[in-house]
Amino acid sequence: MKTITIAALAAALAAALAVAVVRPGTAHGSGSPAQRTITVTGTATARGAPDSAVFTFGVESEGATAKSTLAANGAQMRPVIAALVRTGVARSDIQTQDVSVYPRRSESGAVEGYSVSGSVIATVRRLARAGAAVDAAVAAGANETSGPQFDRSSRSELTKRSLREAFADARARAQTLAAEAGASLGEARRIEQAEAPQPIPMGVYADALTAKTPIEPGTQQVQATVTVTFSLA
């Protein structure tokens, strides 16, 4: 009886040892090899001509009192606005930017009079009339001008085009490197875009304006950079 008990105990220990050895081996065997990938950066530049220009036109006036100087400034600004409208600038594209009233003082600090500065922002959507708009505003009394600041109504299209071309550039680079490694390119696993691209003025083209003040819109460019991780097969 004692011999049988010892044999049974030995068999139980052997079975437990077998289980302890098999289980770890089975867990390791269930893992899969890491997916091979390749990460590349692609860049592209999309160019287009702007189709609008923004100018600021202002008038500075001086007078004895704040009230009279403000009234005089308004009287001087109205012809400037009317001149812009006559050149084809829509009323909805003319917006008051600033009206400032401030005293003029002597060296002792006494108020000698007042100065008033008024200005409007005008968006010229027909670039062929941009120079004429500047000439007309100055002739009508504007003694402070700044601009132009060019823009493109379809700016988002330039951005989209630059991103598409940047991705195509990244794929082409990845395909070249994959072929050198004897692999084939798989799907895109991760895409990272650099800082959102903004239009950059570039160069000029021939100016066909007849105004005394030449305005050359040139072209704008949007640069895009993307980093893409592809799988390799």
Side-chain angles (χ1 to χ4, degrees), residues 10-22:
L13 288 174
L17 181 60
V19 171
V21 171
V22 170

Side-chain angles (χ1 to χ4, degrees), residues 59-77:
V59 173
E60 187 167 359
S61 311
E62 293 185 352
T65 66
K67 182 178 180 179
S68 63
T69 309
L70 182 62
N73 187 266
Q76 289 176 285
M77 278 299 303

Side-chain angles (χ1 to χ4, degrees), residues 149-214:
Q149 186 174 18
F150 292 110
D151 200 3
R152 181 181 173 89
S153 58
S154 59
R155 181 193 303 180
S156 62
E157 289 303 317
L158 278 183
T159 300
K160 291 177 183 177
R161 195 200 321 165
S162 65
L163 288 172
R164 285 194 297 267
E165 294 176 359
F167 182 84
D169 180 53
R171 178 178 289 277
R173 292 170 184 262
Q175 286 174 334
T176 300
L177 293 173
E180 289 297 318
S184 58
L185 200 63
E187 64 180 3
R189 305 294 296 274
R190 182 182 178 87
I191 303 174
E192 296 180 5
Q193 178 192 344
E195 184 177 351
Q198 297 294 325
I200 304 172
M202 293 293 294
V204 295
Y205 53 72
D207 179 29
L209 303 179
T210 58
K212 293 180 180 179
T213 302

